[in-house]
Amino acid sequence: MSENAVVSFRGVTKRFGSSTAVDDLSFDVRPGRVVGLLGRNGAGKTTSLRILLGLAAPTAGAATVFGHRYAELPGARHRIGVGMDGMAPVPGTSGRRGVAIWAKTLGLPAARVDEVLERVGLAESADRPVKGYSTGMRQRLSLAVALLTDPELLVLDEPANGLDPDGIRWLRHLLRSFADEGRTVLVSSHLLAEVEQTVDDVVIMQQTLRYAGPLSELTSDGTDRLEDRFFALAGAGKGGGPDA
Amino acid sequence: MRDVMAGEWAKAWSGKAWWLPAAFGILMSFMASLGYATQGRESIAQSRTDAGAVTDDVVQAWMMMLLFASLYGAVSVAREYATGTIARSVLLSGSRTRLFSAKLIVTTAMGALYGVLAVGLAVASGWGLMAAGAGHRPVWTRETWLILLGVFVCTTLSAPWGLFIGWIVRNQIAAVGTLMGFTLLLDPGLQALFPQGAKYLMTIAMSSVYRDGKPELLSEPLALLVIAGWLAAAAFLARKLLTSRDVV
């Protein structure tokens, strides 16, 4: 592990019975970078992030944040903002009340709720029930909760899913400005074109690690397309990809 | 810890999970209470019972709220698994143990509110239904007040019982089915077949506390010990599973 790695995976393996979701995964995330964790559906991205956050235990290996396992990291809930796929809002709440509940859990003042709702563009619809929110609005709401503590690290799982073009552009600017402040973003995605415009570093996985390093190296400073390099590294897919 | 409890308290009052079980519990208890009052009118007229015994029955019918308090407890955690909210709860609580403790305290407090509601409505039923249904003024005896105390204690303790089942089962339908199966089928069935052993079951021990009056039941102090034992065992298992299983 490099000394200043914000996130470090070392030999992480996760098996569910006879099925291996993640196999011997090792990579580091450096501070102040936006890092894209790329892979097909079922490549083990979400499982890897859940292991990092202590929501799932690895079968072998270890994943650390700021040098500690998540459960042992002092102040982890304030230092790390998380938006995971499938992490729904509190049932029966409005956007504002849902975020306010998490703000209470974190011991934050109510004023912070309005700040993050404004930042994610939900201020005007904050009092509507979340059950009427579109997928994109739910993504923004999830980001609002992730941003509540003004964290040092953002861990986001497929945050662009359901966002419209305006939302994707907004997300790109948000993540860039976050990293420009010296903070770190680890974002999983299968939207290669979007990732190409957003990230500094890339981790490609397909159960095992296929590549970890700067995007510029992977694409030879933009000479190659990320999509082409991805398929070359991740191998043939089942859905009619170039190598299929 | 206070922050996490404040968050859980706010969650407890969100959505319909807190009032829907209460509403069903009130309806079921009221219907049973009304039935006892109506039946009591005939029984009193035939001198087969007296107004004091009918008052006790009318009041005791509100013990049904304990089932709905347990359903509230189960749903308060199982719905988080259903929606995926549980992952955020775990992450923002700081630790699984802290979340477990906060939910336990909040759910027990909600159980106590269910208990207050049950007792309040039981007393109101005693006055209202005795006059309207049984045609007599209620007779409040020491036994009546002990029944009310038992209803309060059992309703309060049923909420954490349901919570532990929710933590263990982690599925709303399965948790609700488990609690209803225990309370309405398994425990009464075993009691009919094997009363000497069944008196140590959770819901049968509770019937001692709200003074069901069956001769084979445990004494109240022993019943409370049995209830404490079930709660401790369920709490141990629930906590162990929460801290050892992946959060899905």
Side-chain angles (χ1 to χ4, degrees):
Chain A
M1 179 175 73
S2 64
E3 277 185 18
N4 62 350
V6 173
V7 168
S8 182
F9 282 78
R10 282 293 168 272
V12 169
T13 297
K14 180 68 175 178
R15 293 192 192 93
F16 298 100
S18 60
S19 165
T20 302
V22 180
D23 190 12
D24 195 22
L25 184 68
S26 298
F27 69 89
D28 291 333
V29 172
R30 292 176 290 157
R33 310 285 283 182
V34 179
V35 179
L37 180 60
L38 309 184
R40 293 192 176 88
N41 290 338
K45 305 185 298 292
T46 299
T47 301
S48 301
L49 295 182
R50 296 181 83 85
I51 289 169
L52 177 69
L53 297 167
L55 296 172
T59 308
T64 58
V65 219
F66 299 113
H68 298 79
R69 290 175 199 267
Y70 185 94
E72 294 156 7
L73 176 68
R77 65 191 187 129
H78 287 99
R79 297 178 71 184
I80 302 164
V82 178
M84 296 290 289
D85 204 21
M87 207 184 247
V90 178
T93 56
S94 65
R96 188 187 308 282
R97 180 164 167 78
V99 178
I101 285 172
W102 298 120
K104 277 185 183 175
T105 302
L106 290 160
L108 300 173
R112 183 64 186 150
V113 175
D114 293 329
E115 288 172 18
V116 292
L117 287 169
E118 184 73 41
R119 186 164 185 190
V120 302
L122 283 179
E124 288 182 10
S125 49
D127 293 315
R128 283 170 47 190
V130 290
K131 68 179 179 186
Y133 276 21
S134 65
T135 309
M137 291 168 81
R138 284 169 182 256
Q139 288 283 22
R140 287 172 184 258
L141 190 66
S142 180
L143 269 165
V145 179
L147 292 168
L148 265 174
T149 57
D150 205 12
E152 297 166 56
L153 166 67
L154 265 182
V155 178
L156 304 175
D157 185 21
E158 305 281 4
N161 278 0
L163 289 178
D164 60 16
D166 288 339
I168 289 177
R169 189 178 186 191
W170 161 82
L171 178 66
R172 190 187 309 144
H173 289 156
L174 177 81
L175 300 185
R176 281 270 35 115
S177 65
F178 196 81
D180 290 344
E181 293 166 11
R183 292 181 274 193
T184 310
V185 180
L186 175 59
V187 53
S188 84
S189 182
H190 59 265
L191 304 176
L192 301 179
E194 177 47 37
V195 167
E196 194 165 14
Q197 295 184 63
T198 311
V199 304
D200 303 306
D201 298 329
V202 171
V203 176
I204 296 175
M205 66 177 294
Q206 192 65 35
Q207 279 76 49
T208 58
L209 181 70
R210 302 300 173 90
Y211 174 83
L215 175 67
S216 57
E217 273 183 29
L218 181 67
T219 60
S220 304
D221 286 323
T223 307
D224 300 326
R225 290 170 63 218
L226 174 61
E227 185 179 298
D228 295 333
R229 298 296 296 134
F230 174 84
F231 283 116
L233 289 162
K238 296 174 184 170
D243 295 344
Chain B
M1 182 64 186
R2 286 179 65 181
D3 300 336
V4 182
M5 281 173 55
E8 288 302 320
W9 184 249
K11 256 193 240 172
W13 294 98
S14 299
K16 54 192 173 190
W18 67 272
W19 65 262
L20 199 59
F24 273 109
I26 290 168
L27 179 67
M28 300 291 286
S29 301
F30 176 79
M31 296 302 287
S33 200
L34 181 63
Y36 280 121
T38 309
Q39 197 177 33
R41 176 192 284 268
E42 293 173 22
S43 299
I44 292 169
Q46 294 166 7
S47 300
R48 283 190 281 119
T49 188
D50 58 31
V54 176
T55 305
D56 289 351
D57 288 342
V58 166
V59 163
Q60 198 179 52
W62 289 86
M63 63 81 187
M64 267 190 218
M65 285 294 281
L66 72 86
L67 170 62
F68 295 91
S70 71
L71 294 182
Y72 162 77
V75 170
S76 72
V77 65
R79 74 170 175 166
E80 291 207 23
Y81 280 99
T83 58
T85 313
I86 190 68
R88 180 151 268 152
S89 294
V90 167
L91 292 173
L92 300 192
S93 296
S95 78
R96 298 185 193 195
T97 301
R98 193 183 294 182
L99 177 65
F100 182 84
S101 303
K103 271 203 186 293
L104 176 56
I105 293 166
V106 166
T107 304
T108 306
M110 290 296 283
L113 291 180
Y114 266 65
V116 168
L117 184 67
V119 168
L121 291 172
V123 171
S125 296
W127 286 108
L129 294 182
M130 278 301 289
H136 286 266
R137 290 175 62 83
V139 177
W140 302 96
T141 63
R142 181 174 177 273
E143 178 66 14
T144 317
W145 296 112
L146 287 173
I147 289 169
L148 285 169
L149 180 62
V151 167
F152 174 77
V153 169
C154 291
T155 306
T156 301
L157 295 180
S158 289
W161 171 246
L163 178 76
F164 298 144
I165 298 295
W167 279 123
I168 293 165
V169 176
R170 304 201 299 184
N171 177 287
Q172 278 195 98
I173 295 170
V176 168
T178 300
L179 286 164
M180 292 188 74
F182 274 133
T183 308
L184 301 177
L185 294 173
L186 188 65
D187 290 6
L190 286 172
Q191 189 184 24
L193 294 171
F194 183 46
Q196 286 309 310
K199 64 187 176 185
Y200 294 100
L201 296 171
M202 181 67 160
T203 59
I204 307 301
M206 282 187 168
S207 67
S208 297
V209 177
Y210 60 77
R211 302 175 76 80
D212 188 62
K214 291 191 178 70
E216 70 272 17
L217 292 178
L218 299 170
S219 66
E220 280 182 59
L222 189 53
L224 285 168
L225 274 177
V226 168
I227 291 167
W230 277 107
L231 286 172
F236 175 80
L237 182 61
R239 187 180 174 284
K240 185 166 181 56
L241 290 174
L242 173 64
T243 53
S244 61
R245 288 192 292 199
D246 290 350
V247 176
V248 290

